[in-house]
Amino acid sequence: MKHRALLPWAALVISGCISAPEIVMVDRATALEEQASGSFKDVEQRLARAAMNPTPVPLTPNQLEELGIQATPLVENMSKTPADRVDDLLRRHCVGEGKEGLLVNTRRRCQAGRMTADDVALVERVNRSRQQLWKWMGSVRPGVPEDTLRRRWQQAHAPGVVCGGWVEADDGTWGEKKC
């Protein structure tokens, strides 16, 4: 008897009265998705135009050197001693060894760059140190005139001046030290 009650249900299922609902697939975006995605064509064109702006190409350090321009270092060289800095200033003719034994500011003839405030302070400090040295030398040798002490010091100091450094001759003319 139980089997007879299931028989009409089985007939309905087999006949197709009960079926799964039809699924419809849409391959287009919804209106909200279309608004959210937007059109970026004008933005893309502006970016493309900006990327094509011609600009000058930087020169290499070798090309700058060929033009007579000293390239600025990418990293500040912190290991230079004050003596190295003075030698560099002498080579660039920004400072010269004066005939009286002091460093002389010759900025107008400076090649490749300019003197910084630190360079000016360094020159003043070196000149003060030299004057203090001459005073001390005068106290050690009280009978020797200061001019004689300066000349002797300068004669001993001259061989140590860097090659190519700017030096004042006895007649007041300036020139590079020959080595």
Side-chain angles (χ1 to χ4, degrees):
M1 221 163 189
K2 279 185 172 180
H3 294 293
R4 284 189 184 179
L6 289 176
L7 201 54
W9 284 105
L12 281 175
V13 169
I14 293 174
S15 70
C17 290
I18 299 175
S19 65
E22 209 174 295
I23 297 174
V24 178
M25 299 272 301
V26 178
D27 65 344
R28 288 188 55 207
T30 65
L32 182 62
E33 289 174 332
E34 285 181 16
Q35 287 177 350
S37 67
S39 173
F40 298 105
K41 195 171 204 169
D42 59 334
V43 175
E44 290 171 355
Q45 287 176 347
R46 278 189 280 142
L47 284 173
R49 281 193 301 270
M52 290 189 289
N53 284 345
T55 58
V57 178
L59 298 174
T60 65
N62 290 340
Q63 291 170 329
L64 289 171
E65 191 174 315
E66 288 173 5
L67 295 171
I69 302 169
Q70 184 178 7
T72 55
L74 296 176
V75 178
E76 185 69 29
N77 188 355
M78 301 305 283
S79 64
K80 280 188 174 180
T81 64
D84 292 333
R85 290 175 47 206
V86 169
D87 287 348
D88 184 48
L89 291 171
L90 286 167
R91 266 191 234 102
R92 290 178 19 217
H93 304 175
C94 299
V95 169
E97 284 283 349
K99 63 183 177 183
E100 295 181 9
L102 296 174
L103 292 176
V104 178
N105 186 341
T106 57
R107 287 185 199 188
R108 291 187 182 133
R109 296 183 182 170
C110 193
Q111 302 170 348
R114 56 169 58 155
M115 285 183 61
T116 64
D118 290 338
D119 293 336
V120 173
L122 174 65
V123 169
E124 290 172 359
R125 194 167 46 249
V126 168
N127 283 339
R128 265 194 317 273
S129 297
R130 289 181 181 184
Q131 289 170 342
Q132 289 173 355
L133 175 67
W134 297 328
K135 281 184 183 178
W136 175 80
M137 289 169 63
S139 69
V140 173
R141 299 198 174 185
V144 181
E146 185 179 332
D147 290 341
T148 306
L149 291 173
R150 276 188 185 203
R151 263 187 271 115
R152 287 182 186 168
W153 176 87
Q154 193 173 10
Q155 288 170 351
H157 175 73
V161 174
V162 66
C163 294
W166 207 229
V167 179
E168 186 179 17
D170 289 334
D171 62 356
T173 59
W174 289 91
E176 289 186 0
K177 178 187 173 195
K178 306 289 187 230
C179 291

